[in-house]
Amino acid sequence: MTTQQIFDLAIQVGIKNDPRGKAEVARVLKKNRRDFRELSKKKQAEYDKEKFVNPYSDSRFLSGDKNKKVKRVLVGIDIDSAEVILAKELERSGKPIDLIIAHHPEGAALADLHEVMDIQTAVLARAGVPENIGEGVLKERLEQVWRSISSANHYQAVDVAKILGIPMINVHTPADNCVWKFVDDYISKKKPKTLGEIIDILKEIPEYKKATELHAGPGIFAGSEKSRAGKIVVTGMTGGTSGSEKIYERMSHYGIGTEIAMHIREEDRDEAIKHYINVVIAGHIASDSLGLNIFVDELEKKGVEIVPCSGYIRYSRTKARS
Ligand SMILES: [Fe+2]
Ligand SMILES: [Fe+2]
């Protein structure tokens, strides 16, 4: 596979597992083309045309040769300058890295992270929270996220990869869509009645089992083992980053009993408790790993060797099946 083929495959896997559904994603891409046509020439020149084919603003081909043949990839949750140097070091030990795959956004993908947050509205709508409410609550938070990211040094690690000549991409929401779909399906099949049962079910999944051994497994952040779960929604798994704390009051009104998320901010937890919503935290890095694993398995099937780093818990479902 080439570097570009790997990136394109990531986008396809993301669309396949997208909570909005394929048709809605196609509509969004079409709308981007329409919006572009209506822009002034000056604005068109600044427009990121990647948006015609890639619905994930937080996932980008960051730097390097797009036609390079890939035998071995370095995959990590956070790729910092240190991991890029590590990729270069591996060359010396006879294991050259052809492509670096980061999960968390960097470069342009970090600058535009807020644009994928709309997916959260779709996740909540599936659980019965009307779209106008999901969208309205999220609006302010979206701008807040954009402002808070704007001061970052977005291209620091990307620049190191560029200087060393190692191609680099990042796959954020496509992988997060995979973990969302996997956990959502898994939980709906098992129908847990209490929070304790949710924790037990999550720990059946290899990534969460491993994370438990590493002292970073699933935990109850609001409620107790014996608390009734009520209606469960797997939110806070995809859609960029944490949503707005204002959503908990609405979730409560629309009959949601328990939220399962990757991680939670203190202000969100406080609101959840205030509105009697239970919170089960599956674990941040374990959840990110699970999502990445589902995508990376597709590369492994095509003969690409995976070198995990930066907290990434690699578990191969391809190898487990064979
Ligand atoms: Fe993630
Ligand atoms: Fe993450």
Side-chain angles (χ1 to χ4, degrees), residues 58 62 78-80 102 104-111 154 157-158 168 170:
D58 64 350
L62 297 167
D78 295 288
I79 297 293
D80 226 323
H104 287 145
E106 308 199 24
L110 177 57
H154 308 88
V158 180
M168 180 168 167
N170 93 287

Side-chain angles (χ1 to χ4, degrees), residues 77-78 103-105 172 176 237 240 262-263 284-285 287-288:
I77 304 294
D78 295 288
H103 176 57
H104 287 145
H172 191 226
D176 285 346
M237 283 284 180
M262 279 196 199
H263 48 79
H284 182 190
I285 304 306
S287 301
D288 277 343

Side-chain angles (χ1 to χ4, degrees), residues 87-104:
K88 192 69 188 164
E89 278 293 309
L90 287 170
E91 194 178 294
R92 287 210 277 177
S93 49
K95 285 192 155 200
I97 296 295
D98 305 304
L99 172 70
I100 300 173
I101 304 179
H103 176 57
H104 287 145

